Amino acid sequence: MRIAGQVSLDDIPNICPLLSRAVNPQYGEKGTRVVDVAGVRFGGERAVVIGGPCAVESHAQTVGLAHAVKRAGADMLRGGAYKPRTSPHDFQGSGLEGLCILSIARGETGLPIVTEVMDPRMVGEVARVADMLQVGSRNMHNYSLLAEVGRAGKPILLKRGMSASLCEWLGAAEYIAKQGNLNIVLCERGIRGFPSGEYSRYVLDLNVIPAAQMLTFLPIVVDPSHATGVSAMVEPASRAALEMGSHGLLIEVADFSYGEPKCDGLQAIDAATLARIVAFAGARGRPVQEHAQVT
Ligand code: PEP
Ligand code: MN
């Protein structure tokens, strides 16, 4: 039976002619497009580790954490100035002031910044500060935002929608690519499944890493923080993600001496744990033949 609107992975070459491995033979069976973010190479010779707070809350908190993330050996700083919250009455991020703080953190540490943009009208403003624009899980289906970030001239971190199929996720990436921007890094952040919320926040779908790598040449990273929602699970989940071939990790870090985080404190790790994850990511390395790089 044929059903209207039904697609399968066999349709990826048609849905994603710009990003499909099958349609772009220059990448071969295993080649990865290297996405360079201010000198940090996603899909390059080693896994990239991004650390930082869930939200930019204050100058002291974010700049302090940026220094800690740098000392831990991570490659980039994360932190949301604009936060998509379940309740509109909750803290929504510190907005333009948050962007200023991120820019100071970058100036002091030299760490490139990835931060979320939620509104197509704010893309220019956020892109002035960010080295990489994050499209969050809730906005993966926001096609006008995808087109707008595609025109911004910055690399994009595209999170998987929490209920998105791989077809839908790659289709969303194709919206960005259609604007002429192929500098896209996919980010698996956990999906909704029957046990989500019982012992972890979402279900970390590690199987999608090799599956995505078969279908596209884009690099893929994992966010073990939102996937698990439990700080004690973040380190083992990070190791598992790297073993499954993830090109990097996006991890929330907190220091409670700046006060309890306004969001996601329960899943944040400390800088010492981040340093262990960085060491594991670096020591582990990845076989170069299997991940031949194409720039
Ligand atoms: C985040 O990384 O700050 C975030 C909100 O994650 P997600 O969009 O995956 O929920
Ligand atoms: Mn968070």
Side-chain angles (χ1 to χ4, degrees):
M1 186 171 65
R2 295 182 60 212
I3 308 170
Q6 195 66 26
V7 290
S8 79
L9 293 178
D10 293 339
D11 300 312
I12 287 296
N14 297 324
I15 298 170
C16 306
L18 300 171
L19 299 177
S20 151
R21 188 178 285 290
V23 186
N24 293 274
Q26 68 272 31
Y27 291 97
E29 271 182 36
K30 304 237 170 174
T32 304
R33 177 185 175 83
V34 175
V35 175
D36 187 304
V37 180
V40 173
R41 289 161 51 82
F42 290 83
E45 39 296 303
R46 56 177 198 82
V48 168
V49 182
I50 306 167
C54 177
V56 177
E57 295 184 19
S58 68
H59 176 279
Q61 168 250 16
T62 297
V63 175
L65 279 171
H67 283 286
V69 161
K70 168 122 183 173
R71 279 194 301 273
D75 304 284
M76 280 180 64
L77 179 68
R78 63 147 289 142
Y82 297 93
K83 297 303 300 177
R85 304 301 302 283
T86 299
S87 169
H89 305 291
D90 285 344
F91 173 63
Q92 305 286 301
S94 44
L96 292 177
E97 193 193 338
L99 291 179
C100 266
I101 294 171
L102 284 172
S103 150
I104 294 167
R106 187 193 202 288
E108 284 196 19
T109 62
L111 291 175
I113 305 285
V114 59
T115 194
E116 177 163 354
V117 57
M118 293 168 53
D119 184 334
R121 295 165 299 188
M122 290 302 292
V123 168
E125 196 77 49
V126 178
R128 262 193 282 284
V129 169
D131 297 283
M132 182 179 218
L133 297 170
Q134 176 172 325
V135 175
S137 188
R138 289 154 192 80
N139 270 314
M140 190 213 82
H141 293 285
N142 184 340
Y143 296 126
S144 42
L145 178 64
L146 296 170
E148 200 61 40
V149 298
R151 292 190 281 267
K154 288 280 165 88
I156 310 298
L157 184 80
L158 178 62
K159 290 201 148 189
R160 180 184 189 178
M162 58 189 77
S163 301
S165 67
L166 180 50
C167 274
E168 290 168 332
W169 190 13
L170 295 180
E174 187 83 4
Y175 269 83
I176 298 169
K178 191 171 177 215
Q179 301 303 318
N181 183 1
L182 268 64
N183 292 322
I184 304 163
V185 176
L186 302 170
C187 179
E188 157 64 23
R189 46 77 72 208
I191 51 173
R192 277 198 207 280
F194 72 86
S196 44
E198 189 184 24
Y199 47 80
S200 65
R201 189 170 182 174
Y202 292 96
V203 177
L204 174 53
D205 181 10
L206 293 177
N207 299 347
V208 83
I209 301 168
Q213 287 167 344
M214 269 179 244
L215 291 162
T216 180
F217 49 81
L218 293 179
I220 178 167
V221 301
V222 166
D223 169 352
S225 308
H226 292 90
T228 63
V230 178
S231 57
M233 293 185 185
V234 169
E235 186 176 0
S238 299
R239 296 160 84 112
L242 292 168
E243 291 296 355
M244 281 295 268
S246 177
H247 295 113
L249 299 163
L250 174 78
I251 301 177
E252 289 189 348
V253 182
D255 177 342
F256 282 66
S257 70
Y258 299 112
E260 185 162 343
K262 291 199 168 88
C263 36
D264 288 350
L266 289 171
Q267 70 194 30
I269 58 166
D270 60 16
T273 310
L274 182 69
R276 277 200 308 276
I277 295 171
V278 169
F280 180 80
R284 191 183 152 279
R286 285 179 303 112
V288 170
Q289 277 115 311
E290 275 194 35
H291 295 268
Q293 302 143 36
V294 181
T295 28

